[in-house]
Structure formats: C-alpha cells, structure tokens
Amino acid sequence: RTGLIAAILSTNALAQPDPSGIDFVTIGAPGNPAYAGPDNNNLVTGRGSVPYEFRIGRTEVTTAQWVEFYNAFYGRVPSINLPARWGAYQTGNPQSPFGVVSAPGADMWPVSGVTWRTSAMFCNWLHNDKRTDLSAIQDGAYDISTFGYTGTNGNIFTDQREHHPGARYWIPTVDEWLKGVYYDPNHGGTGIGGWWWNSVNGSNTPLIYGPPGQGQANAGFQPDDNSHYRIPLMAYTGVKSPWGMMDAAGGTSEWLESVYQPTAVPYRFVAGSHWGSTWRIGDPIYSLGATFPSDVSLNFGFRIAAAVPSSGPFAVMMLVGARFLVRRGRAPGVSHETGSVARGPGGPGWRRRFGER
C-alpha cells in the first residue's frame, strides 16, 4: 500500500482535482538545468530553470471554465471582454447570460480573444475562491489598479510585472511554460538524465499538423468549413509533454506572464502556434512571440499555473481517487464566434519582432 501511494504521488501526469475545476499536472525536478540551445531568436537560451515545484493546467482554459467566470461578471465589468472564439452562446437569460452550446465537446473548446489583463482577472477570481463580488477580480494574484499605459507615446504599460508571491493561481512565466512543455526529468530513466526536447511531444521530431487521427496539433491547416475551430482540447491524445501537458501546440497561442524587453518598450510573451498557424514549423522550443497586455487577438488564449497544495492525508486521498476518474469522451461540434479585434497602443506587435514570415 505504501508503494502504491508513493507511485501515485510521483506520477506527475495524474489528474489532480482542484477547487478551481482545472485539471493540473505537477512540474517537479526543482533547480533543473536551463536550456542551452539551439536558439534561432536568442530568446530561450538560459531560460527554463525553475527552483520550485509548481502546477500547470493540463490544457488551456476551456469554454466551460470561462462561461462560469464570464457569467459572474457580465455587464458589471466592461474591461472583461467577450471572447472571440469559444463554444458558448447568449441565452437571453439575465441570470445566466451565456451557456455552452449543445454540441459534443463544446465545453472543451479553448477560449480565445481574451486579453492578458482579463486573464489576470480570471486568476484573481480563482485565488479568491470564485466569489462574485467585484473585489474578487481586483486583486489576489495581480493588482488590477496598476493596469494602464504611460510614456511619451503611451506605450509603456504600468501593469504589475509579476504575480504576488502568495498567489494561488497565476499566468505561467516563460520559464515555467518552457519547463512544463519541453523538459524531461526522466530521459535516462526515472529521475535520471534531465533533458530538453525540441518538440512538445517529448521528442526531437517536429510535429505534424492536421486533424486528430491525421496530425499531432491543431495548427497549420484550415478546412473550408472552419472545423478546426471546433476541435476540442485533449483531442490529440498521444501528444503530451513529459509531464502530461497537452495542447501546447495549436488551438490558441498562450499568454505568458514574463515581460519581453523589460528596459525598453515592454511586451508580454506569448508561446506556441495557433489555429492555421505555420509560423514555426513543428513548434520548436524557441517558438515565442510578444505583444501588449491589452491586445485582443482571435488567436490568444492561456492556461493557468498554480501553487502545489500542502501535503497531507486529504491530498493523498484525492490523488488516489483521481486514478478512477474517467473523462467523458468529446468530439467536435458547432461553433459560436463573437467579439471584435482591438489592438494595443503600439499596434499589432504579435510575433513580428521574432522573425515572422
């Protein structure tokens, strides 16, 4: 029995029930070596070493998760923008304005077209146990009173650079995201030979883009019926990072917390390919971009990072019980797309600085 519990606790890819409703995996191996190259854009060499354990969402934030958040504050907080793409529709019911469309897998469609700032409010909401009073989104991980722009050209954002040290949930840093996606602590055996892979599926082989059953990520193809927007998260069942992260390639590109050019005009990093994207074939480790935190793009989504809960008998029981959870099967359905595109004060900075072709 002791051996069984030890094995369960060491299985980082195991589903970890959480009050937030998010499926997390734990990223261990504190103090891992940083990535040492190759690095076409000189952005990730020396990055990816994280001196602490943390958790990160197995997938990007889903429609079902965003509907709960959006309904709690709809019409009360103008800065929480309507997503551009998700699997939801307006119900006409003022008590529950949005619902998930009746299509298989719509609850698992990723949410796109949300700003970094709205994503930060989502983290505050989780930190504050999903309360519905307005103070629940104003602070917790990020103090939203800091959000703004300054400078001669109005393009220097004043937003809090990093989450509060005591935050329970936050937007992943570049180092956390890179480690969760590309670092393998068991390359030479269990706990032996940490290694940086160049692809999101624990290999050095570039991903093949295409629909589930044909490809390995939802990027680089655009069917005439736009059905690629209706592919749910976790549809590419065999494509996982060494820690169990899924959908790091394709779907949406993901907001990160870390700041690019911290001493010049600052931007927030964004990672990974998105629907239809062929910017970096195969999603190698240096696939990063950056833009303003107020930018709205049809292609931007995010996933959540979180603190590791305190250990104890209850945590062990939750992990044991997680072995027996069965995820309901999901399949593509129909789409509901709304929203508009806005840009930050400096214009569309997305990826242009990192060699988009």
Side-chain angles (χ1 to χ4, degrees):
R1 181 176 300 173
T2 301
L4 173 62
I5 292 175
I8 292 170
L9 291 174
S10 65
T11 303
N12 296 300
L14 187 66
Q16 299 167 19
D18 185 84
S20 67
I22 294 172
D23 179 9
F24 287 106
V25 296
T26 297
I27 311 298
N32 62 294
Y35 178 71
D39 183 2
N40 286 12
N41 294 314
N42 195 31
L43 291 173
V44 295
T45 296
R47 305 297 298 257
S49 179
V50 181
Y52 48 84
E53 268 197 329
F54 64 98
R55 297 182 299 158
I56 196 165
R58 189 184 302 276
T59 70
E60 298 158 2
V61 172
T62 69
T63 287
Q65 292 159 355
W66 199 260
V67 162
E68 183 184 2
F69 169 68
Y70 197 68
N71 279 348
F73 300 100
Y74 177 73
R76 301 164 62 201
V77 185
S79 56
I80 296 181
N81 64 291
L82 183 68
R85 294 190 181 105
W86 61 333
Y89 72 103
Q90 281 191 282
T91 65
N93 178 356
Q95 303 304 316
S96 184
F98 288 84
V100 179
V101 300
S102 58
D107 58 332
M108 288 293 289
W109 294 353
V111 174
S112 80
V114 296
T115 68
W116 186 94
R117 290 172 172 172
T118 304
S119 305
M121 293 181 197
F122 183 86
C123 295
N124 288 346
W125 178 63
L126 297 180
H127 176 92
N128 291 307
D129 299 315
K130 298 185 177 180
R131 296 199 322 263
T132 58
D133 57 284
L134 294 182
S135 65
I137 61 169
Q138 292 170 352
D139 207 345
Y142 305 94
D143 180 356
I144 72 170
S145 70
T146 66
F147 294 177
Y149 286 96
T150 188
T152 304
N153 298 317
N155 61 353
I156 306 297
F157 71 74
T158 59
D159 306 29
Q160 181 177 328
R161 296 294 181 99
E162 301 174 350
H163 62 274
H164 296 312
R168 297 163 59 197
Y169 305 93
W170 61 90
I171 299 168
T173 67
V174 164
D175 298 301
E176 290 165 348
W177 195 88
L178 289 174
K179 181 175 180 178
V181 175
Y182 296 102
Y183 184 75
D184 185 353
N186 302 311
H187 181 259
T190 303
I192 301 173
W195 184 266
W196 286 95
W197 296 111
N198 196 47
S199 185
V200 305
N201 62 347
S203 77
N204 287 326
T205 304
L207 294 178
I208 300 171
Y209 297 140
Q214 301 176 36
Q216 298 172 298
N218 187 5
F221 68 100
Q222 292 182 298
D224 292 339
D225 63 355
N226 286 327
S227 57
H228 56 316
Y229 296 131
R230 303 189 292 273
I231 296 174
L233 296 166
M234 300 184 74
Y236 297 85
T237 55
V239 184
K240 302 177 183 179
S241 82
W243 305 97
M245 285 176 63
M246 301 179 71
D247 304 296
T252 69
S253 293
E254 300 178 23
W255 283 113
L256 301 180
E257 179 185 273
S258 301
V259 177
Y260 172 65
Q261 289 188 330
T263 59
V265 176
Y267 302 87
R268 296 285 187 181
F269 274 106
V270 187
S273 59
H274 55 77
W275 295 294
S277 166
T278 56
W279 177 73
R280 288 291 181 191
I281 301 298
D283 277 76
I285 193 171
Y286 50 81
S287 297
L288 294 176
T291 190
F292 292 98
S294 58
D295 264 8
V296 177
S297 169
L298 301 180
N299 301 314
F300 292 172
F302 71 113
R303 74 179 72 213
I304 295 292
V308 176
S310 300
S311 60
F314 180 69
V316 172
M317 289 303 296
M318 289 185 71
L319 286 172
V320 172
R323 288 192 66 188
F324 304 101
L325 292 178
V326 178
R327 181 171 293 277
R328 175 168 52 89
R330 295 179 170 91
V334 298
S335 176
H336 175 79
E337 300 176 14
T338 56
S340 59
V341 177
R343 294 292 179 186
W350 165 239
R351 292 204 184 278
R352 290 185 178 177
R353 303 181 180 277
F354 304 155
E356 183 175 28
R357 295 184 296 276

